[in-house]
């Protein structure tokens, strides 16, 4: 893994090949993922209205994810495709099932699971960019990879603002290791996860 990603494993090459071959299908899933990311940011700020920094950060994040969504929708429409109904994302559902109960644990886990999901998004968008030939689409995925890397850092940063760094560090490593097993067990399909 490169120094810029915290992830414990790289996505398989077969995944990138499948995405490039089924790129139309991938775009539909990608649009849904951006929309869900915006929804998650909104739900987070609704849950913690008293945390000023979190509210600001999540409102900015929701807006940015909706810009991503709009850009992917544009690509979809340029190809003469239309949005599909949302499907469950087994990867996201599995990771969110690791969020513990109890107000402290719940908040920490919400922030850190979001960070894990963003870090994987960053890794996968960079892989997609690398597999595309030079041009607008490649630059678009490169810029998304940078945004998602910023988002994972934001969530990690919020976690260390509200919780002691040793607590954050040990739970972060636990989640990263669980995420690696989860990602390795995922079926390969033309979807973000
Ligand atoms: Fe995004
Ligand atoms: Fe993001």
């Amino acid at each position: 893994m490169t120094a810029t990603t915290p992830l414990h494993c790289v996505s398989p090459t077969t995944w990138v090949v499948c995405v490039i071959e089924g790129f139309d299908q991938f775009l539909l899933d990608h649009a849904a993922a951006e929309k869900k990311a915006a929804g998650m940011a909104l739900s987070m700020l609704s849950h913690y209205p008293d945390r000023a920094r979190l509210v600001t950060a999540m409102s900015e994040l929701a807006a940015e994810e909706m810009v991503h969504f709009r850009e992917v929708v544009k690509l979809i429409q340029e190809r003469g495709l239309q949005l599909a109904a949302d499907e469950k994302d087994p990867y996201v559902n599995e990771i969110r099932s690791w969020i513990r109960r109890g107000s402290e644990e719940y908040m920490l886990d919400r922030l850190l699971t979001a960070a894990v999901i963003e870090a994987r998004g960053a890794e996968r968008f960079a892989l997609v960019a690398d597999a595309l030939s030079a041009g607008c689409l490649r630059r678009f995925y490169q810029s998304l990879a940078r945004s998602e890397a910023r988002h994972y850092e934001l969530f990690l940063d919020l976690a260390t603002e509200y919780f002691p760094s040793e607590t954050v560090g040990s739970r972060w490593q636990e989640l990263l290791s669980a995420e690696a097993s989860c990602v390795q067990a995922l079926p390969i399909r033309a979807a973000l996860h």
Side-chain angles (χ1 to χ4, degrees):
M1 302 296 303
T2 62
T4 52
T5 177
L7 296 169
H8 287 189
C9 75
V10 285
S11 294
T13 314
T14 46
W15 172 80
V16 195
V17 171
C18 179
V19 164
I20 300 298
E21 278 173 2
F23 204 74
D24 285 355
Q25 196 55 43
F26 171 72
L27 280 176
L28 298 178
D29 180 73
H30 177 188
E34 297 291 359
K35 194 179 58 175
K36 288 175 198 164
M40 249 171 58
L42 290 177
S43 124
M44 188 90 95
L45 75 85
S46 304
H47 206 90
Y48 300 104
D50 54 333
R51 309 276 188 160
R53 190 181 160 213
L54 184 146
V55 169
T56 307
M58 289 303 109
S59 54
E60 285 169 3
L61 181 62
E64 192 183 345
E65 302 291 17
M66 281 312 290
V67 170
H68 294 170
F69 172 71
R70 179 68 191 109
E71 285 167 343
V72 182
V73 166
K74 226 182 270 175
L75 291 172
I76 287 171
Q77 290 170 342
E78 280 166 10
R79 290 169 179 240
L81 305 167
Q82 50 180 324
L83 288 182
D86 283 349
E87 279 177 27
K88 287 203 163 80
D89 184 326
Y91 166 86
V92 170
N93 287 352
E94 167 75 15
I95 288 182
R96 291 182 61 82
S97 77
W98 304 335
I99 298 174
R100 296 165 297 176
R101 286 163 196 265
S103 64
E104 295 285 295
E105 290 87 351
Y106 181 77
M107 184 181 183
L108 176 64
D109 286 0
R110 271 190 85 160
L111 291 167
L112 293 182
T113 53
V116 168
I117 294 168
E118 294 282 1
R120 182 60 68 186
E123 185 242 6
R124 291 199 154 188
F125 289 142
L127 289 175
V128 170
D130 287 348
L132 289 165
S133 42
C136 298
L137 203 53
R138 182 186 171 106
R139 284 195 300 277
F140 176 57
Y141 277 93
Q142 284 168 337
S143 87
L144 286 181
R146 285 191 296 270
S147 298
E148 309 308 348
R150 237 191 319 105
H151 298 168
Y152 108 68
E153 282 165 2
L154 167 70
F155 280 112
L156 204 51
D157 198 41
L158 284 169
T160 43
E161 172 157 339
Y162 297 121
F163 300 94
S165 56
E166 313 83 70
T167 312
V168 173
S170 66
R171 183 61 176 153
W172 179 230
Q173 289 309 318
E174 262 174 36
L175 290 171
L176 285 170
S177 126
E179 193 269 353
S181 311
C182 173
V183 98
Q184 280 158 351
L186 280 181
I188 301 291
R189 53 189 198 121
L192 185 53
H193 306 115

